[in-house]
Amino acid sequence: MKVIVNVQLKNGVLDPQGKAVHHALGSLGFNSVNDVRIGKQILLDVAGTDAEAAKEEVTKMCEELLANTVIEDYTIELA
Amino acid sequence: MKVAVVVFPGTNCEVDTKHAYETLGQEVELVWHKEERLPQEVDLVVLPGGFSYGDYLRSAAIAKFSPIMKEVQSHAKKGGYVLGICNGFQMLLEMGLLPGAMKRNANVHFVSKYHHLKVENSTNQFLRHLTSGQIINIPIAHGEGNYFIDEAGLTSLRANNQILLTYCDAQGNPQNPNGSVANIAGICNEAKNVFGLMPHPERAIEALLGSKDGRAMLEGFVA
């Protein structure tokens, strides 16, 4: 089962990478961009067929390792 | 005093740290992260700088699962001294032994240079040989030293005198190399036995190297 985890800095937490890329886009003339936030996507291939069980387990993985919940939010999607 | 310096794959400051404490006449043991026991009667555990596990995922995110870290946790919980330098500071945050989290530097550059620091509070073991308000000069070298803590957390750090060091210029005016909240360069826990800082005191113990301002810090733990 493919599981997609998206990890993103929380709203209100300044994203230095996003700011740098936003600035670079502006330099290239892309002035329509209001804001840039950069996160990471983690693709997991999880054994088993029970979607709920997988989601529960991946939630634990996010809380323990994949995200730092002090500054990051995460979403879990089953592909 | 017995010092244990924990070594992870990717650590690169363990020898400097060992050398620094040996220069101060202390007994130092390097401890591989796979070990399950700290040396007997260890007084101070140092988590040194480097790039544990290549800093994959996030700085220091993976190091907290190393077998030795259970021991480091319980050493800290029992009131034993723990010092985290740079990557070690990031570990202490990831482990929850210190509050807050670390982000990429605000300018997204790796910063490596001498930087002035202001001693904010010297009523603790680590900084007891320095005085509050003193300006010192110590190298920094990091890409993720942008310390973050929320407003409530910052208030509580201030209330308990847990902010130890802030970044400044030679005159003591705030000067921030990485975007850290309140210019924070180092903090301690509420019980004042766990210390973390981004600058490298172990690289500033001999005038030959440009500064020996780090020596007084490391001596703080020496009885």
Side-chain angles (χ1 to χ4, degrees), chain B residues 1-5 21 25-29 38-46 75 81 221:
Chain B
M1 185 181 69
K2 200 181 243 184
V3 183
V5 178
Y21 271 106
Q26 306 308 308
E27 189 188 335
V28 184
E29 199 171 317
L38 285 167
Q40 278 198 335
E41 290 168 18
V42 74
D43 302 291
L44 170 68
V45 176
V46 185
H75 176 76
Y81 289 118
F221 295 108

Side-chain angles (χ1 to χ4, degrees), chain B residues 50-61:
Chain B
F51 300 85
S52 55
Y53 295 90
D55 273 353
Y56 292 132
L57 190 64
R58 290 184 309 276
S59 295

